[in-house]
Amino acid sequence: MVLWVFGYGSLVWNPGFDFDERITGFIKDYKRVFDVACIDHRGTPENPARTLNLEAEKGAVCWGAAFCVSGGAEKEAEAMKYLERRECEYDRKISVSFYKEGDCVIPALTGVLVFVSTPDRNINKYYLGPAPLDQMTRQIATAKGPCGNNREYLFSLERALFEIGHEDDYVIQLANEVRKVLAGLKEKKSRMSGPHLLVKFNFGSVYLPALREATVADSR
């Protein structure tokens, strides 16, 4: 029995578990979306981070990495235990076909495991749903938790996809918009905490009339 797991988010650059093989490739008919809340790692319940999910879309392609765990049942169980704890916001596991570059017809692997989140708030409390671009970018730019901030998650994903040679236009757009928000926040902070101006007051010459000599009364 061999376990294959497809990573499309942080698993691409930080798998975190013991694996025996890694293959770069893609799955079909799914695209990345930032609609899952993270409230204990890169966000908080009051200001949740936005992390990735997969959304079904006919004809879409999602690049990432497939990881193989083939060291026996015990090693597979350890990997699954780690993944289920790490991917606790994802309430479903689906099985997909995985393709390698150069062959988009015959899958290189079948039965590859993927963690996804049910897109229904009534079923999955971590599902945030879509949001306008400006709202989403501000949330990603400002959310932070005990293990880091939301924007670094996005920037790390952008960098990881660049390194495997398959950038995601949606990720690039989102990252660039987040950079604009951060630049705006930095500029605003700079204006508010800028250097204080030294104001000199010049009253000119002031005429003070001479004081009349006081008469001391005898208090006898």
Side-chain angles (χ1 to χ4, degrees):
M1 184 68 180
V2 176
L3 171 67
W4 283 95
V5 179
F6 179 67
Y8 57 93
S10 61
L11 290 178
V12 178
W13 73 87
N14 180 31
F17 62 95
D18 188 15
F19 60 91
D20 299 285
E21 186 179 359
R22 168 185 163 140
I23 303 175
T24 297
F26 62 92
I27 62 174
K28 294 181 178 182
D29 299 328
Y30 287 98
K31 68 177 183 179
R32 290 182 180 85
V33 288
F34 281 79
D35 63 9
V36 174
C38 176
I39 62 174
D40 59 356
H41 188 60
R42 294 181 181 272
T44 63
E46 297 75 25
N47 189 19
R50 277 188 174 266
T51 55
L52 283 173
N53 193 18
L54 289 180
E55 182 179 286
E57 183 178 281
K58 191 68 175 175
V61 168
C62 180
W63 282 87
F67 299 90
C68 174
V69 179
S70 59
E74 184 176 346
K75 186 175 180 180
E76 179 183 330
E78 288 177 2
M80 283 301 299
K81 182 179 179 181
Y82 167 80
L83 287 167
E84 286 177 343
R85 182 174 64 251
R86 172 172 167 168
E87 310 294 314
C88 61
E89 295 92 353
Y90 301 87
D91 59 326
R92 295 173 55 216
K93 304 181 193 72
I94 62 174
S95 178
V96 298
S97 294
F98 176 85
Y99 299 80
K100 294 201 310 186
E101 189 165 14
D103 192 346
C104 61
V105 178
I106 301 175
L109 301 165
T110 57
V112 178
L113 185 70
V114 187
F115 287 82
V116 296
S117 183
T118 302
D120 186 334
R121 293 187 183 92
N122 295 321
I123 299 174
N124 180 10
K125 66 178 182 179
Y126 296 106
Y127 178 67
L128 291 173
L133 182 63
D134 59 340
Q135 179 183 326
M136 188 178 297
T137 52
R138 179 164 288 274
Q139 186 175 358
I140 293 174
T142 58
K144 60 182 179 180
C147 299
N149 57 55
N150 198 176
R151 59 185 178 271
E152 187 54 38
Y153 173 91
L154 172 61
F155 297 153
S156 295
L157 174 65
E158 181 188 33
R159 185 166 53 250
L161 295 177
F162 172 79
E163 289 173 353
I164 67 172
H166 293 282
E167 296 174 282
D168 186 318
D169 290 341
Y170 171 65
V171 172
I172 292 172
Q173 179 193 22
L174 203 54
N176 286 336
E177 291 300 318
V178 168
R179 291 186 181 99
K180 291 178 185 177
V181 172
L182 292 172
L185 292 173
K186 184 178 180 180
E187 183 181 350
K188 182 179 179 181
K189 183 178 179 181
S190 178
R191 287 200 305 266
M192 294 177 64
S193 60
H196 298 288
L197 296 177
L198 179 62
V199 180
K200 297 178 70 175
F201 295 94
N202 185 5
F203 295 104
S205 300
V206 179
Y207 173 73
L208 295 175
L211 296 177
R212 298 176 61 185
E213 184 177 351
T215 301
V216 178
D218 191 344
S219 58
R220 290 181 299 182

